[in-house]
Amino acid sequence: MRLNLNIIYDELSDYDCQIIASENLDLNLRNVCYLPLEPEKLQSEYLYLTTAEKINEYGNINESISLLCLGEPKFDIRNNKLNVIFFNENLSEQSVFEKLLKIFEKYEDWEKSILLSMANNENLQTIFDISTSMLINPIALCDRYNTVVVKSKTFPEDVQGSPWKEAFEKGYVTDDVMENEEYFELNRLVAENNTPILFTSHLTFPGQIQMAARIPREGVPFGYLVSTDFNGDFTKGQLSIIYFIQDILNLALKNNYSMISGEQDLSTFFIENIIKGYDMGERSIAYLLQQWSWKVDDEYSLLVFYPIDDKVLDKSILNMLKNRIKGLSKSSFVFSYDNSIIAIFHNNNKESIAKDYSEQLQGILEITNLHCAVSMNFHNFKYIKYAYQQCGIIRNFSNLNQRIHTFDEVYTDYFLSILEEQTDLASMCNPIILNLYESDKNGKDFIQSLQAYLVHGRSMTAAANALFIHRNTLIFRLRKLEELLNLDLKTVNENTALMLYVSCLVATNKYNQQKVHN
């Protein structure tokens, strides 16, 4: 692996030495050698070890050459624009040379371990941990939607007063994490520079220095490396290492995009088979769930995120979405399937996904222009195949004016559509109820009263409250209906009650009114 003078200077921090070097972060030094006798043999890709006495006798040296000098030369090094580290203490050339060789060997081994992890198709977290092991400060990789994909090194327990507070609470950082002026300036600097940039937030996070470096994937912006000076300064050597990590991550993302998700392939394959209807066996399912401390008969719900126009989802959208969804609940499993994202939520804390996470879900859906289907809660993991079927039904019957759709919202429409495939819906109506709806101006009120009465377990009080009418008004309407139907509503059997309820649905369903009238 090639290094530069800044990295080497950091490695020599235990010595009394100084550095004069260019601002360039390129890694150009292949190895170390002694200064040759002939100046024409000097090459810019080597670090040359020498003494002040030899330099004083050497003559002019090209400014692209890098030197490590024992002692300070008599001439002004700064005016000569040399890249040089010089020692102020008395050391032998042999001991310094051996130290430099160990530095190059150390980074050579580091690079080999990174490349080996990539060759073995390790996941992105593993590659990231190895790649960032030479850094002082904790660091994270975020996608272009500011979602934290992976992080490495130890962050402080208290990140209050830093952008990491929001990042760890939500899994991503919103645009208003900084003052607008600083946020736009930071984004401008990152966009204009291929190398890492440092930014001091005087308004939002005074006293902290933020580092940011963009990560492309095949020429398209994927995201950013971000860090804060929690543990030490961002030296030029540290920035040079981050510059190298940028290239490593670009290569890793190019070679294997699936590493981003961090999904367990076996788990995903297993759950896909359950969704497809295969009997995977309860013991096998229990073994699968054990890794998340879940049980087969716990409570689960399933969410499907999908494009309304069946447009093929961009991979960067899929990745961002998976990480955002995972940020909603730690007790979830998220994976991509059939041009959509499936999220299985473990609901044993009795949370309501559609209600408790409505605001966060709306934000995610608006960013990605997607819709979300939410199944009913199930009390057996193998029933997620039915939950997935429910989400498929929702996709066909949902209201496009909203983004979050639950199964109970479309149940009636779907139920009536199934009936309509078999027969004319009017044939499923009690003729008296159908005639009442079509001919009597107050017929709709009577039918709604009957429907509410049946829904609320034939409770007069509950039905009246639901309709916002006086109890006596409800009693009057139901007695009138009993006369017309020639039956006692309090004692009708289940079949008759079901027929009456379906008759009310058909007569009043807004999607089938015209069909009934015809």
Side-chain angles (χ1 to χ4, degrees), residues 336-356:
S336 55
Y337 180 74
D338 194 22
N339 197 41
S340 63
I341 297 292
I342 294 179
I344 300 173
F345 281 78
H346 182 248
N347 295 343
N348 259 27
N349 57 358
K350 305 302 179 185
E351 63 191 355
S352 170
I353 301 301
K355 293 180 180 179
D356 294 355

Side-chain angles (χ1 to χ4, degrees), residues 144-284:
R144 58 179 171 170
Y145 301 97
N146 297 331
T147 301
V148 177
V149 180
V150 287
K151 61 181 185 292
S152 187
K153 313 292 284 186
T154 303
F155 283 82
E157 290 186 8
D158 183 10
V159 291
Q160 187 77 24
S162 78
W164 298 104
K165 182 179 184 297
E166 183 179 35
F168 293 155
E169 287 178 351
K170 297 181 178 179
Y172 61 94
V173 176
T174 56
D175 294 349
D176 57 2
V177 70
M178 300 175 71
E179 296 288 339
N180 283 343
E181 176 185 340
E182 292 188 335
Y183 181 79
F184 291 131
E185 176 64 11
L186 176 59
N187 278 272
R188 182 189 67 79
L189 290 172
V190 173
E192 292 179 356
N193 290 274
N194 293 322
T195 56
I197 64 102
L198 298 180
F199 184 80
T200 302
S201 172
H202 297 289
L203 299 176
T204 317
F205 308 114
Q208 294 182 358
I209 297 178
Q210 315 295 335
M211 186 287 303
R214 59 177 173 164
I215 303 295
R217 177 179 178 269
E218 298 182 346
V220 178
F222 167 78
Y224 313 91
L225 286 172
V226 287
S227 183
T228 302
D229 61 339
F230 288 125
N231 300 333
D233 295 334
F234 289 110
T235 64
K236 290 181 183 176
Q238 288 283 291
L239 295 178
S240 299
I241 293 173
I242 294 171
Y243 188 36
F244 172 75
I245 295 172
Q246 287 178 264
D247 288 336
I248 287 294
L249 291 178
N250 186 25
L251 182 62
L253 297 175
K254 179 179 180 181
N255 289 345
N256 190 352
Y257 195 92
S258 64
M259 293 187 301
I260 300 169
S261 67
E263 292 176 358
Q264 301 178 44
D265 291 339
L266 183 60
S267 301
T268 304
F269 173 78
F270 196 97
I271 293 174
E272 285 180 359
N273 281 337
I274 297 176
I275 287 174
K276 292 174 182 176
Y278 296 117
D279 185 6
M280 305 303 290
E282 191 155 308
R283 290 183 63 183
S284 297

Side-chain angles (χ1 to χ4, degrees), residues 46 57 140 173 256 277 280 284 287 381 470:
Y46 287 95
E57 300 171 358
V173 176
N256 190 352
M280 305 303 290
S284 297
Y287 182 80
F381 192 85
H470 195 278

Side-chain angles (χ1 to χ4, degrees), residues 110-130:
W110 175 54
E111 182 187 39
K112 286 180 180 179
S113 64
I114 296 172
L115 297 177
L116 183 62
S117 67
M118 293 171 62
N120 291 335
N121 289 321
E122 300 281 3
N123 61 45
L124 188 62
Q125 182 65 65
T126 300
I127 296 174
F128 195 66
D129 287 338
I130 297 172

Side-chain angles (χ1 to χ4, degrees), residues 339-474:
N339 197 41
S340 63
I341 297 292
I342 294 179
I344 300 173
F345 281 78
H346 182 248
N347 295 343
N348 259 27
N349 57 358
K350 305 302 179 185
E351 63 191 355
S352 170
I353 301 301
K355 293 180 180 179
D356 294 355
Y357 298 127
S358 176
E359 184 176 345
Q360 296 97 314
L361 284 174
Q362 287 286 2
I364 293 172
L365 297 172
E366 287 173 7
I367 289 174
T368 56
N369 196 29
L370 299 179
H371 287 243
C372 175
V374 183
S375 76
M376 299 172 66
N377 288 356
F378 288 85
H379 295 270
N380 192 309
F381 192 85
K382 66 182 180 181
Y383 291 153
I384 62 169
K385 63 181 179 182
Y386 302 130
Y388 183 73
Q389 292 171 9
Q390 287 185 355
C391 291
I393 293 168
I394 293 171
R395 294 177 67 165
N396 293 325
F397 288 87
S398 57
N399 179 3
L400 299 184
N401 294 324
Q402 62 189 64
R403 291 194 179 274
I404 302 175
H405 319 278
T406 58
F407 186 65
D408 59 350
E409 292 172 350
V410 304
Y411 185 88
T412 298
D413 296 336
Y414 177 68
F415 178 75
L416 293 179
S417 73
I418 296 298
L419 287 178
E420 194 172 23
E421 290 177 4
Q422 303 298 320
T423 185
D424 191 312
L425 285 177
S427 68
M428 301 300 296
C429 269
N430 180 293
I432 295 173
I433 291 178
L434 181 60
N435 183 65
L436 184 66
Y437 184 90
E438 292 182 336
S439 60
D440 192 322
K441 64 178 182 179
N442 296 318
K444 185 175 182 180
D445 293 335
F446 280 83
I447 293 171
Q448 287 178 338
S449 296
L450 174 59
Q451 187 174 358
Y453 177 71
L454 295 171
V455 166
H456 289 86
R458 307 183 203 183
S459 167
M460 290 285 190
T461 302
N465 290 338
L467 294 169
F468 299 101
I469 61 175
H470 195 278
R471 190 173 184 274
N472 291 338
T473 302
L474 178 63

